[in-house]
Amino acid sequence: DTLWDLAIAEVEKRENPDDDDDVKPGEVWEKSILFMGNKNGGKTTIILRCLEREESPKPTLALEYTFGRRARRHNTPKDVAHFWELGGGTSLVELIRIPITVHNIRSFAVVLVLDLSKPNELWTTMESLLQVTRNQVNKILAKLEKTNPEVAAEIKQRVWNNLQRDHPDSALVDPFPIPLVIIGSKYDIFHEFDSEMRKIISKTLRFVSHYYGASLVFTSKSEALLLKARALINHLAFGYDKSKSVSVDPSKPLFIPAGLDSMSQIGPPPASDSDLGKMRANTPLELWKKVFEKTFPPKSFSDLQDTKDPAQDSQYAEYEVDVMRAQKNQ
């Protein structure tokens, strides 16, 4: 093939992208995953484990990018997974619109890492990050509906694929528009909590995950738990087989792949009937939020105030720049 032939083939491929699930032999697939969640919640550690890198994690500044490559079979080109990580908890949420674009929306997924050791920040973090992400995805879908309605329809249909056709909860859930994994980190600290507190947090996260059609896994620094989280992420990043195992025992770390839970197994929100009667809520999600925040009142967010000035951070030191800067300040 001449360069022109290759260029024409490349343009045609971009204009008529085939579904990722039917990648032809010898073709490379690319996936993108955005990691977000609590500050110091362990996102970088999880990414490094997924990429099998033996580095010690550094604090994430703003939005960071790295990638991983894997070959599906011997002697085949390597698939690429782009890993984006949003630092700063919820303070830099506007940056979400950089990695999620019209070009990669079909192969995009989100991993939300929630710090189980900080239940008072849990709901606020989850709500604000998912809301901004959903708004961005919906904006892109609205654009696609005008330019490429088939792709938009396919993305919207795909979110229901995790639920079996006649699942009793289809009318009660509102799946997230792109694949979502919720990781509860620092299980080792969470495990020391009072059993009633653990039960409320576990039940609430099960409800939220099921409501959004997400997978849920609890993890810590222990190798066995990290492997489970890694299996879910590798499924999103490299199309590895989904794990079919399920663990819903509240005394053990939860592991529930998308679509394998149900409202009847989760049960009602953990509050007395008289309390539930007093709570005014328009949606099931709102009711669970009120019950959860009754036990764990949300902390007022000071995320923005305590963001350190990266210019003063020694890990970003650059001699020439710093000298000029000092001169200018002087």
Side-chain angles (χ1 to χ4, degrees):
D1 286 357
T2 65
L3 268 178
W4 285 116
D5 295 331
L6 292 171
I8 291 166
E10 175 66 23
V11 169
E12 277 175 358
K13 197 175 116 200
R14 280 190 193 166
E15 285 175 354
N16 314 305
D18 288 301
D19 191 14
D20 295 327
D21 301 333
D22 315 320
V23 175
K24 296 174 186 61
E27 215 177 281
V28 172
W29 81 355
E30 289 190 39
K31 297 276 186 180
S32 303
I33 299 179
L34 171 63
F35 286 77
M36 55 191 191
N38 291 84
K39 219 182 198 159
N40 306 325
K43 300 182 286 296
T44 310
T45 307
I46 294 167
I47 293 175
L48 290 174
R49 283 302 296 125
C50 283
L51 298 173
E52 294 171 15
R53 288 191 195 152
E54 300 295 327
E55 302 166 27
S56 47
K58 294 193 190 82
T60 302
L61 180 73
L63 186 67
E64 293 198 1
Y65 168 82
T66 183
F67 66 93
R69 304 177 70 169
R70 297 273 160 86
R72 252 167 300 166
R73 282 177 296 283
H74 189 55
N75 281 346
T76 56
K78 289 185 172 179
D79 295 327
V80 182
H82 306 280
F83 289 92
W84 294 88
E85 184 188 354
L86 180 72
T90 53
S91 60
L92 300 168
V93 74
E94 288 306 308
L95 294 176
I96 281 174
R97 62 173 190 270
I98 295 171
I100 309 179
T101 66
V102 170
H103 304 293
N104 64 14
I105 187 76
R106 301 177 76 194
S107 55
F108 208 94
V110 171
V111 174
L112 176 65
V113 180
L114 297 172
D115 187 336
L116 295 172
S117 67
K118 299 179 183 161
N120 301 73
E121 294 176 17
L122 203 136
W123 193 285
T124 324
T125 301
M126 174 184 74
E127 192 173 53
S128 53
L129 289 171
L130 289 183
Q131 207 165 359
V132 175
T133 310
R134 184 169 226 161
N135 292 347
Q136 172 64 5
V137 173
N138 286 342
K139 246 185 233 166
I140 290 172
L141 287 177
K143 257 188 214 163
L144 271 178
E145 273 170 353
K146 291 178 188 141
T147 56
N148 200 337
E150 292 87 13
V151 172
E154 175 213 318
I155 292 170
K156 287 183 172 174
Q157 182 45 48
R158 208 191 290 167
V159 299
W160 291 96
N161 291 352
N162 285 324
L163 276 188
Q164 292 93 7
R165 200 147 273 160
D166 44 2
H167 198 291
D169 299 339
S170 349
L172 304 169
V173 296
D174 181 15
F176 205 69
I178 51 178
L180 173 65
V181 170
I182 296 177
I183 296 181
S185 65
K186 305 196 183 172
Y187 178 78
D188 42 346
I189 302 173
F190 170 77
H191 192 58
E192 305 298 316
F193 284 9
D194 163 66
S195 69
E196 203 46 47
M197 282 166 74
R198 283 207 315 264
K199 197 170 146 195
I200 293 174
I201 297 169
S202 299
K203 224 174 161 183
T204 303
L205 284 178
R206 274 181 71 185
F207 169 80
V208 169
S209 300
H210 184 54
Y211 181 79
Y212 284 130
S215 300
L216 175 66
V217 57
F218 282 3
T219 184
S220 68
K221 286 192 174 126
S222 103
E223 201 53 39
L225 289 185
L226 274 169
L227 276 174
K228 289 198 148 185
R230 208 172 115 191
L232 282 176
I233 293 165
N234 278 338
H235 168 69
L236 295 177
F238 301 107
Y240 288 15
D241 289 343
K242 264 189 191 167
S243 169
K244 290 278 187 285
S245 72
V246 176
S247 164
V248 294
D249 180 349
S251 62
K252 297 196 178 90
L254 296 180
F255 181 81
I256 312 168
L260 298 184
D261 213 340
S262 69
M263 297 294 187
S264 55
Q265 285 175 302
I266 297 167
S272 65
D273 290 348
S274 62
D275 277 352
L276 286 177
K278 286 179 204 147
M279 289 180 185
R280 288 206 169 83
N282 298 324
T283 61
L285 192 67
E286 220 175 285
L287 183 64
W288 278 82
K289 176 183 178 175
K290 288 189 170 168
V291 171
F292 184 79
E293 291 189 338
K294 193 168 190 257
T295 313
F296 304 106
K299 274 190 183 159
S300 63
F301 262 88
S302 54
D303 258 2
L304 288 163
Q305 284 72 46
D306 61 18
T307 306
K308 291 188 200 72
D309 178 3
Q312 308 303 326
D313 192 325
S314 56
Q315 69 167 318
Y316 304 113
E318 281 185 56
Y319 179 73
E320 287 87 350
V321 177
D322 295 340
V323 168
M324 295 296 284
R325 179 88 186 254
Q327 201 178 326
K328 181 173 188 291
N329 288 346
Q330 200 177 338

